Amino acid sequence: FSDGVDTKETVEYYRGKLGDADPQQFVEILVGHAVLVDPKEDEIEGVWAHVAIHGKWNIWQRKDDRLTLWTAWGEQPVQQINLDADETKIWDAFDSSKRLIELRHHHDNDKIISLVRKLTHSNVQALKMSMMPWSIYAKRPAMAPPYLGSTMPYARWQPGTAVPPAISLSEYHKSSINDADAQFDHQETTLSHLLRVPHPVLANRTYGQALADVILARELVSGRARILEIGAGLGYVARDVMARLREKGITIEYTICELSPTLAKAQRERLGTDATWIDGDVLAAQIPDASFDLIISNEMVGDLPATQHSREDVGLNLDGTGTIDRDKLRALSGGAAIAADLGVNLDDATEPFYLMTGAFELISRISRWLAPGGTAIVTEFGELAMWPKLSTHLDHPELSTHFGQLLQAARGAGLEGKIEFVIDLLDFNRDEKGLVTTRSHFRALRALAEHHGVDLPKIGYTPKLLADTVSGKMDLESVGELRWDRIEDRLMGLVPHEFKALVVKRPA
Ligand SMILES: C[S@@+](CC[C@H](N)C(=O)[O-])C[C@H]1O[C@@H](n2cnc3c(N)ncnc32)[C@H](O)[C@@H]1O
């Protein structure tokens, strides 16, 4: 499109190539948002009619009359953009309500335009240009064009170069994790990772300690406990669960089943001889029946394989009606057969839908591995009745979990139990506030802190935790944009109330 193309010809060319969508509508929307402009139009001249809105995920620091922006999009190198005193004044005048033309008489016009060009560039993304002032959207955020609030941390792609193949759900953990700490600090932060330090939201306990307290309070283990943890990440939960239970006089045999060799190594370094390991895929592990009193699977079922199907593949109608044909379901795969055998109700499947084949296999295995009276705690992000959705905010595909289906599978396998909110299970303090970040936003903040000689580990920052960490080295008053929200709604890049726990017991 860069040199201009004939609109009618292009619309005809793409007709039928975009599914049911009408290419003409794409053109209208893209023109409406000034993404496409008439080649005869002077694009820069057109900018004066726009409202400049600060991006939502900027990191900046103010020193005297100057501002420095820090960016760290995706895997791109960290960069600093220094604004001079005039540019800083213009930046401050970008108030999300005035059109650029209204700033014309107060600031150097060439400087306004060059600053807009610099800050809207995809390398920087500090400024968004809007046809409408933000106040129009303030009460109707759903109406705001997504680009005003979102950012593009993705790797660049040049036309003509090969598109990298999609990574499969299972291959990723086997072959793609090379740096254990970076994995959890940047790529795939879990709630337990953010709360691996004694944390005010958990009454100054770590996630693992809070989980151990639940295990103790509910008397899930006593005397001698055989515990299996599936997918243990960096081993912090294991470390703290073991220590807390041992403190209470419980003798523990702790086994970890871990797919990623890099993470298994990190766990061994952290836990030494305190645990034993079953290396490899939990869905291939040979574990004797009835051999564990407690099984913990924290934030890992979403990593297991799932398959995508059409309703018609399992005998359901596309109009949302019909009853599943269990034979057709069974024929799809081993995991699908388990769903069929355990009586999971799939009639309300979306079109298309993801079948959590790996999760069903896991539940079936867990049900066998639990000793009579044993309990399993399986946490992940997901909802009680929402079909799995693919999240794209990670560097690998991860599905949300349909907990209602997991519970049905567990009951089908003879277990008893329920689904709980992790924030209730671990008794989160509802009044605590936490830092709201994205991966790139936090990476930029971390780079800024490093510049001041502060190491900013990836933990779930409360205002006090952040102030304590940077104390004496970095003045937080000079730093933005730091936003805080109730922790149950947002902590760093996670939404804690989305995390659920399946807590199920094998009857004694
Ligand atoms: C998202 S991490 C969660 C780690 C840890 N439980 C936590 O709360 O931070 C998922 C973990 O499960 C492991 N994992 C993923 N698929 C697995 C599989 N099929 N078998 C065993 N472990 C697996 C990963 O390597 C990783 O340790």
Side-chain angles (χ1 to χ4, degrees), residues 194-195 197-202 204 429 431-436 456 459-470 476 482-487 490-492:
L194 292 181
L195 301 174
V197 294
H199 200 281
V201 83
L202 296 171
N204 290 322
N429 177 346
D431 299 326
E432 284 291 342
K433 291 226 158 132
L435 186 62
V436 177
L456 214 56
I459 57 172
Y461 284 103
T462 59
K464 182 168 183 326
L465 274 174
L466 185 62
D468 289 350
T469 310
V470 305
L476 285 177
L482 300 180
R483 281 193 302 278
W484 307 92
D485 201 348
R486 289 187 338 150
I487 288 186
R490 180 87 180 218
L491 184 60
M492 309 294 277

Side-chain angles (χ1 to χ4, degrees), residues 32-34 44-55 90-91 93-103 112-113 116 120 126-137 145 147-148:
H33 290 287
I44 294 296
E45 222 16 66
V47 164
W48 290 103
H50 283 73
V51 178
I53 296 181
H54 292 169
I90 299 172
W91 167 264
F94 293 152
D95 64 356
S96 307
S97 72
K98 285 194 206 71
R99 294 188 185 272
L100 286 193
I101 199 157
E102 297 173 64
L103 307 181
I112 296 179
I113 291 299
V116 166
T120 52
L127 199 64
K128 308 282 175 157
M129 304 308 287
S130 171
M131 302 295 270
M132 294 292 167
W134 182 253
S135 56
I136 298 277
Y137 305 118
Y147 59 77
L148 293 183

Side-chain angles (χ1 to χ4, degrees), residues 169-170 172-174 177 183-184 188-194 207 229-237 256-261 263-264 267 278-284 296-305 362 379-380 396 398:
L169 285 163
S170 58
Y172 178 78
H173 284 95
K174 217 178 308 172
I177 302 176
Q183 174 67 19
F184 283 87
E188 191 187 14
T189 305
T190 56
L191 194 54
S192 76
H193 187 69
L194 292 181
Y207 187 99
E229 183 175 353
I230 303 168
L234 293 176
Y236 289 109
V237 170
I256 292 176
C257 176
E258 175 56 57
L259 179 64
S260 155
L263 292 177
Q267 293 156 17
I278 300 172
D279 292 303
D281 184 356
V282 66
L283 301 183
I296 299 170
S297 156
N298 200 72
E299 300 173 61
M300 76 74 63
V301 289
D303 291 340
L304 292 174
L362 183 71
T379 80
E380 189 49 280
H396 66 281
E398 186 163 321

Side-chain angles (χ1 to χ4, degrees), residues 156-467:
R156 278 162 202 283
W157 174 76
Q158 295 295 337
T161 57
V163 178
I167 296 178
S168 84
L169 285 163
S170 58
E171 282 309 301
Y172 178 78
H173 284 95
K174 217 178 308 172
S175 57
S176 305
I177 302 176
N178 299 318
D179 177 339
D181 289 303
Q183 174 67 19
F184 283 87
D185 268 8
H186 184 51
Q187 265 89 321
E188 191 187 14
T189 305
T190 56
L191 194 54
S192 76
H193 187 69
L194 292 181
L195 301 174
R196 69 192 180 284
V197 294
H199 200 281
V201 83
L202 296 171
N204 290 322
R205 296 169 300 167
T206 66
Y207 187 99
Q209 289 169 342
L211 188 62
D213 286 347
V214 173
I215 296 166
L216 289 164
R218 299 190 184 186
E219 299 178 357
L220 303 184
V221 295
S222 59
R224 174 175 160 264
R226 298 160 297 171
I227 303 177
L228 171 67
E229 183 175 353
I230 303 168
L234 293 176
Y236 289 109
V237 170
R239 179 194 66 187
D240 294 344
V241 165
M242 278 195 269
R244 195 78 155 196
L245 297 184
R246 286 196 175 127
E247 247 172 57
K248 301 289 170 189
I250 293 170
T251 309
I252 296 168
E253 281 171 30
Y254 207 93
T255 308
I256 292 176
C257 176
E258 175 56 57
L259 179 64
S260 155
T262 312
L263 292 177
K265 183 165 172 275
Q267 293 156 17
R268 285 184 167 99
E269 281 163 11
R270 179 150 291 116
L271 305 171
T273 52
D274 270 357
T276 47
W277 277 263
I278 300 172
D279 292 303
D281 184 356
V282 66
L283 301 183
Q286 299 294 327
I287 293 177
D289 286 358
S291 52
F292 288 101
D293 306 302
L294 179 66
I295 299 181
I296 299 170
S297 156
N298 200 72
E299 300 173 61
M300 76 74 63
V301 289
D303 291 340
L304 292 174
T307 50
Q308 200 182 28
H309 305 280
S310 164
R311 285 175 61 87
E312 286 178 322
D313 298 342
V314 288
L316 294 168
N317 303 321
L318 288 181
D319 65 4
T321 61
T323 314
I324 206 147
D325 180 333
R326 302 242 156 229
D327 291 332
K328 283 191 173 161
L329 177 62
R330 210 169 265 118
L332 289 178
S333 66
I338 290 173
D341 294 341
L342 298 181
V344 180
N345 184 347
L346 303 169
D347 292 348
D348 66 343
T350 51
E351 177 59 30
F353 65 93
Y354 282 105
L355 193 64
M356 306 183 295
T357 51
F360 294 135
E361 280 185 58
L362 183 71
I363 295 295
S364 152
R365 287 172 160 257
I366 284 177
S367 73
R368 292 202 309 270
W369 296 339
L370 279 179
T375 304
I377 302 177
V378 177
T379 80
E380 189 49 280
F381 79 98
E383 298 297 334
L384 273 60
M386 190 182 77
W387 278 78
K389 275 204 183 128
L390 201 58
S391 75
T392 47
H393 58 278
L394 304 163
D395 72 333
H396 66 281
E398 186 163 321
L399 284 175
S400 64
T401 295
H402 186 315
F403 271 89
Q405 291 178 4
L406 284 198
L407 181 59
Q408 286 180 33
R411 287 185 173 148
L415 306 180
E416 291 166 355
K418 58 179 176 174
I419 301 157
E420 300 179 48
F421 280 67
V422 168
I423 56 175
D424 291 335
L425 181 75
L426 301 185
D427 201 12
F428 274 47
N429 177 346
R430 298 293 178 96
D431 299 326
E432 284 291 342
K433 291 226 158 132
L435 186 62
V436 177
T437 61
T438 61
R439 276 201 312 175
S440 301
H441 180 252
F442 184 72
R443 209 178 137 226
L445 179 64
R446 196 174 208 176
L448 169 63
E450 196 182 314
H451 181 74
H452 290 275
V454 185
D455 174 37
L456 214 56
K458 182 91 164 258
I459 57 172
Y461 284 103
T462 59
K464 182 168 183 326
L465 274 174
L466 185 62

